[in-house]
Amino acid sequence: MKQFVVSAVLLAAFQSAGAAVTPAVVHRVTMNVVNAPLAPDGFTRNTRVPPILVNKGDSLVVTVNNRLTDPTMRRSTSLDLDGLFSTTPELFQEGSPFVTQCPIAPGASYTYTNGPIQQAGNFWYHSQLSVQYIDGFRGPLIVYDPEDPQAHLYDVDDINTIIQLGDWWHNTTLSPTMLPQYEATGIIPVSDSSTVNGVGRYNGGPAVPWAVITVVKGKRYRFRLINESARNIVTVNFEGHSMTVIEADGEALTPHTTNAIDMLAGQRYSVVVTANQPVSNYWINAPFVGGNPANNLNQNATLSRAILRYAGAPAVDPTGPMEITPFPNSLVEGDLRPLVAQAAPPADVNMTLDLEVVAGKAIWNVNNVSYVAPKTPTLVKVLNGASTEADFNVTENTFIFPPNKTIQFTFPPNDDDDAHPLHMHGQNFWLIKPNSTDVVNTVNPIKRDIAAAGANGIQLRFRTDKPGPFFFHCHIFWHYQAGLATVLLNDPAGTRAQVHPNAEWESLCPAYNALPAELQ
């Protein structure tokens, strides 16, 4: 019953938000990926992996040492710094297997470089290979802004205010067993439990102590919420407290007060919560949906929670009800506005993307094409001269765009049960029509990198100012593995002019391709 454990050594001092501005530093992280038994919900498998904490303006250098040896699990790996954008010259280190690189073979190492980082907010890291990150290779990546224009809204913002939300599975051979079962039946696996900061419970399981976050009455806390699940939509609510949303997916927002937030897989939010209630214990509720619970009798959405404990309160569970009811004043994504308004530029290219599933099968299509990862990564092909759609297999579903244009994607309403969290690598997009509203807003829409395509349809726009191939896929990784993905290739000639990989990158594909299938 082994799970991936990621041990990370950060070789740079961390500068917290609100402190005096200091010169940028280079953070060097050594990340050892190994197998070890863990048990977040009492069933031995998982862990809460270490966070990576850096400042805006810093550089991040991460060396991944692949030490995976368990033959029942996927042994090659990769690293995606999710939501953190590589510059085009660094694109070969972006971390998308078969798009920008080949996976890292067992026993090998690879170093990813990013920076100076120009973003700030909540991000996370995980394996991008297959559904491997469900096996434990995932953790928070926070970029603090020492000059945060919203720092006056909160008093505390540190490692203790990061809230990781994840799904947990008891199957001990998740990647090599459950994925083929899904592909054969079309029935997506249902998680046994959900975790809050690495802790959860399930029906009939042990009463594992809840994760506890301690607050001091009167102080304002910036909680950084990250949904690291591979499928589940999690609703976050602080019992007896409202939340003021100030950031989504690394983009600052005009403060917006709400009582609950539905978070899709991969999404991140920053919320300010004021400890203004009587000294006591309160639930941090995180109920979830993710498939039919009848397919896994261990699942109980009401057991996804943690405790908000005021300093001075007894170390006991809250007395509030365990039942979950619809929360009033839940967040409507279409009501959010950016802190600094920016109009979405007019579209130069309009495309409609239809998402369809083949009934009874694990096959998802985007415009009637089910994505299949090629053996030769997209970037390798581009560097070798590929420039037109004819240079790629149809199943690579590669859309080629000219430079310096605005592209509009329209996703029509679909009647599928899932709201697909569509995730764009490399840049954010303007969400001009969210799934939550029929209003098209091109004047001051929010920007983010994950949005739901569902029953009401969505529209988004993005620029092709940045050359390179960028993965665009559903962050329900079961769907992505079943073909719900595309590659957006901006300016192939510009990509060749700016991307010049190093020898370490050049060695990845020969090493991976030489592996027997069981080691890939």
Side-chain angles (χ1 to χ4, degrees):
M1 294 184 290
K2 290 187 178 179
Q3 167 66 355
F4 291 0
V5 176
V6 182
S7 61
V9 179
L10 183 61
L11 302 179
F14 166 63
Q15 176 80 28
S16 63
V21 178
T22 59
V25 299
V26 176
H27 296 261
R28 300 186 185 276
V29 178
T30 298
M31 190 174 289
N32 298 313
V33 185
V34 300
N35 301 113
L38 297 150
D41 63 1
F43 187 93
T44 303
R45 283 201 86 238
N46 189 27
T47 184
R48 182 187 181 194
V49 295
I52 296 176
L53 310 174
V54 300
N55 272 348
K56 182 178 180 180
D58 293 349
S59 295
L60 179 61
V61 180
V62 183
T63 297
V64 176
N65 297 321
N66 184 352
R67 302 296 182 257
L68 298 172
T69 58
D70 188 343
T72 68
M73 304 177 74
R74 192 78 183 250
R75 279 179 278 180
S76 291
T77 193
S78 72
L79 174 68
D80 177 31
L81 304 177
D82 201 302
L84 204 60
F85 307 144
S86 299
T87 64
T88 295
E90 294 174 335
L91 186 60
F92 64 94
Q93 301 179 95
E94 192 266 343
S96 295
F98 311 111
V99 178
T100 58
Q101 70 165 86
C102 280
I104 306 168
S109 300
Y110 187 74
T111 298
Y112 298 85
T113 299
N114 191 302
I117 299 168
Q118 300 305 312
Q119 299 164 261
N122 304 331
F123 310 93
W124 61 302
Y125 64 86
H126 61 81
S127 170
Q128 185 75 29
L129 183 62
S130 185
V131 292
Q132 190 183 62
Y133 83 69
I134 313 172
D135 286 332
F137 191 169
R138 52 186 174 183
L141 166 57
I142 308 299
V143 182
Y144 293 89
D145 185 356
E147 299 180 301
D148 182 7
Q150 302 199 85
H152 64 285
L153 298 176
Y154 54 89
D155 306 304
V156 181
D157 177 23
D158 58 28
I159 192 172
N160 298 307
T161 61
I162 301 170
I163 299 180
Q164 298 172 249
L165 308 164
D167 40 19
W168 188 235
W169 318 71
H170 290 178
N171 190 298
T172 57
T173 57
L174 181 62
S175 295
T177 300
M178 295 180 74
L179 184 57
Q181 289 175 353
Y182 165 51
E183 292 169 340
T185 65
I187 300 174
I188 302 178
V190 174
S191 67
D192 293 272
S193 64
S194 182
T195 60
V196 180
N197 281 350
V199 177
R201 294 184 184 180
Y202 63 96
N203 283 333
V208 178
W210 306 109
V212 175
I213 296 176
T214 301
V215 296
V216 175
K217 185 175 175 60
K219 290 189 176 295
R220 303 165 300 168
Y221 291 81
R222 178 174 181 165
F223 288 110
R224 296 175 178 269
L225 313 176
I226 306 172
N227 186 353
E228 299 174 5
S229 73
R231 183 183 188 184
N232 292 345
I233 300 174
V234 181
T235 301
V236 180
N237 159 270
F238 289 77
E239 180 192 4
H241 299 72
S242 62
M243 298 178 282
T244 300
V245 184
I246 63 171
E247 177 241 344
D249 296 356
E251 293 283 346
L253 303 175
T254 299
H256 182 87
T257 300
T258 186
N259 285 339
I261 302 176
D262 292 331
M263 297 185 62
L264 281 70
Q267 287 187 325
R268 298 92 60 200
Y269 285 96
S270 283
V271 300
V272 176
V273 175
T274 301
N276 57 5
Q277 298 300 304
V279 172
S280 187
N281 293 283
Y282 300 87
W283 290 119
I284 302 173
N285 297 299
F288 63 97
V289 293
N292 186 350
N295 291 334
N296 190 334
L297 298 182
N298 284 336
Q299 190 180 95
N300 184 338
T302 70
L303 298 180
S304 178
R305 55 181 65 230
I307 295 175
L308 185 74
R309 176 167 294 153
Y310 279 63
V316 297
D317 286 359
T319 57
M322 293 288 287
E323 294 80 11
I324 299 298
T325 59
F327 298 108
N329 190 28
S330 292
L331 179 67
V332 176
E333 187 179 37
D335 292 341
L336 296 175
R337 294 292 179 267
L339 183 63
V340 178
Q342 180 186 29
D348 301 303
V349 178
N350 289 275
M351 292 183 63
T352 297
L353 275 66
D354 283 306
L355 312 180
E356 298 290 344
V357 65
V358 178
K361 297 183 181 294
I363 301 175
W364 277 95
N365 297 321
V366 180
N367 286 359
N368 295 314
V369 175
S370 182
Y371 176 81
V372 177
K375 292 184 177 180
T376 301
T378 308
L379 182 58
V380 174
K381 293 183 178 182
V382 173
L383 296 180
N384 288 334
S387 297
T388 68
E389 292 185 5
D391 296 322
F392 301 93
N393 297 327
V394 171
T395 53
E396 294 177 65
N397 220 6
T398 300
F399 303 141
I400 300 176
F401 300 113
N404 306 314
K405 300 295 183 181
T406 300
I407 313 301
Q408 177 170 303
F409 283 169
T410 297
F411 294 86
N414 67 72
D415 57 4
D416 180 59
D417 290 339
D418 291 300
H420 298 283
L422 299 179
H423 174 47
M424 184 175 290
H425 287 228
Q427 62 183 324
N428 285 336
F429 49 77
W430 288 275
L431 184 59
I432 62 172
K433 198 205 87 63
N435 190 53
S436 60
T437 178
D438 293 328
V439 177
V440 176
N441 173 19
T442 61
V443 176
N444 59 348
I446 64 169
K447 297 183 75 176
R448 64 184 317 167
D449 59 59
I450 298 183
N456 294 321
I458 66 170
Q459 288 184 329
L460 57 87
R461 291 180 187 173
F462 63 95
R463 292 284 296 170
T464 62
D465 300 337
K466 188 176 180 181
F470 300 100
F471 214 14
F472 183 47
H473 61 87
C474 180
H475 222 298
I476 297 175
F477 261 45
W478 306 102
H479 289 171
Y480 145 49
Q481 284 297 307
L484 198 52
T486 68
V487 176
L488 313 180
L489 175 53
N490 302 335
D491 187 10
T495 302
R496 286 188 287 274
Q498 295 188 44
V499 180
H500 305 288
N502 58 25
E504 188 180 32
W505 181 87
E506 298 278 3
S507 69
L508 286 173
C509 286
Y512 179 78
N513 292 333
L515 294 172
E518 63 269 18
L519 294 180
Q520 292 186 342

